[in-house]
Amino acid sequence: MENIRLDFEKTEGLIPAIVQDAESKQVLMLGYMNEEALEKTKSTGRVTFFSRSKGRLWTKGETSGNFLNVKKVLVDCDRDTLLVYVDPVGPVCHTGADTCFAEENSSKTFFIDTLRKTIKDRKNNPSDSSYTASLFAKGINKVAQKVGEEAVEIVIESKDDNKELFLGEAADLLFHYLVLLEAKGYELDEVMEVLMSRHKG
């Protein structure tokens, strides 16, 4: 965040800041920052806006405790809009809703992208202590075998009614499937493209 250069003059001192959940990618709210608000956001790690109604700086969560902890800030191509990735503490809207657009912010599926990056890193930068790296070291046959084993185990668990065991096996299968894709050199996005092409039909 240190090298953010914005054109405050073009926007008469206030820059729109789109706030997005860093994990779910859900858009949470829109606020405005002046230079002072941006500096406070950078120094505290918590989103601070300039409140047009209050006429002062306003740190989101200063009364509710529902702070927006900054993960990353991006500037658009014209240097007059910010995209702020955050880790929200509690609901964002003053109404108690997850977002100011009355949308639910509960999806965890974007964590798959974080997991994919970790798996790729274990492949490219292996360490002796990493289980994932050990799978890659054993070769494609071992990785494929693990996917088969996990698939059988989830089929077995599906016949019972133990949610904890079933979800554990589902997580194991998904993880090893992602490892297999990486071992083959394919991206999950390529699989999504196949599914999307089928969905169009």
Side-chain angles (χ1 to χ4, degrees), residues 3 5 19 30 38 41 48 57-58 60 62 65 71 85 99 104 108 116 131 138 140 149-150 158 179:
N3 299 319
R5 292 175 58 251
V19 180
L30 170 70
L38 178 59
T41 297
T48 296
L57 295 188
W58 165 62
K60 179 70 179 75
E62 64 186 21
K71 306 298 287 185
Y85 288 102
T99 82
E104 194 172 312
K108 303 292 189 295
R116 288 167 60 203
Y131 168 73
K138 292 174 183 174
I140 191 70
E149 290 172 0
E150 299 301 341
S158 70
V179 173

Side-chain angles (χ1 to χ4, degrees), residues 20-195:
Q20 189 172 14
D21 189 303
E23 183 174 299
S24 71
K25 308 304 184 212
Q26 185 76 50
V27 174
L28 303 176
M29 68 176 294
L30 170 70
Y32 292 86
M33 292 186 187
N34 60 8
E35 289 188 76
E36 189 179 0
L38 178 59
E39 287 304 315
K40 187 170 182 182
T41 297
K42 288 163 59 176
S43 64
T44 64
R46 288 176 171 169
V47 174
T48 296
F49 299 109
F50 179 82
S51 172
R52 294 170 297 169
S53 59
K54 298 181 177 73
R56 64 170 177 84
L57 295 188
W58 165 62
T59 298
K60 179 70 179 75
E62 64 186 21
T63 54
S64 66
N66 296 333
F67 296 103
L68 298 173
N69 296 318
V70 179
K71 306 298 287 185
K72 182 171 64 173
V73 179
L74 300 178
V75 181
D76 81 328
C77 57
D78 292 322
R79 297 190 296 115
D80 60 7
T81 304
L82 291 170
L83 178 59
V84 186
Y85 288 102
V86 302
D87 178 16
V89 179
V92 172
C93 187
H94 70 282
T95 64
D98 283 353
T99 82
C100 289
F101 304 98
E103 292 188 306
E104 194 172 312
N105 183 33
S106 60
S107 176
K108 303 292 189 295
T109 54
F110 276 94
F111 174 71
I112 289 178
D113 287 339
T114 300
L115 185 57
R116 288 167 60 203
K117 289 178 183 176
T118 301
I119 290 170
K120 188 179 294 288
D121 180 69
R122 297 296 186 269
K123 178 184 177 183
N124 296 330
N125 304 289
S127 68
D128 294 338
S129 60
S130 168
Y131 168 73
T132 308
S134 73
L135 286 175
F136 287 123
K138 292 174 183 174
I140 191 70
N141 288 345
K142 181 61 176 178
V143 176
Q145 179 185 334
K146 284 297 296 181
V147 173
E149 290 172 0
E150 299 301 341
V152 170
E153 288 174 13
I154 195 173
V155 168
I156 293 171
E157 284 303 332
S158 70
K159 297 178 180 298
D160 296 324
D161 195 25
N162 188 316
K163 179 180 179 180
E164 183 178 354
L165 289 178
F166 177 80
L167 291 180
E169 295 300 343
D172 288 345
L173 177 58
L174 178 55
F175 169 76
H176 287 92
Y177 168 66
L178 293 174
V179 173
L180 179 60
L181 280 178
E182 183 62 38
K184 293 291 293 181
Y186 302 143
E187 296 291 338
L188 184 60
D189 288 351
E190 295 177 85
V191 179
M192 294 301 103
E193 287 172 4
V194 173
L195 289 174

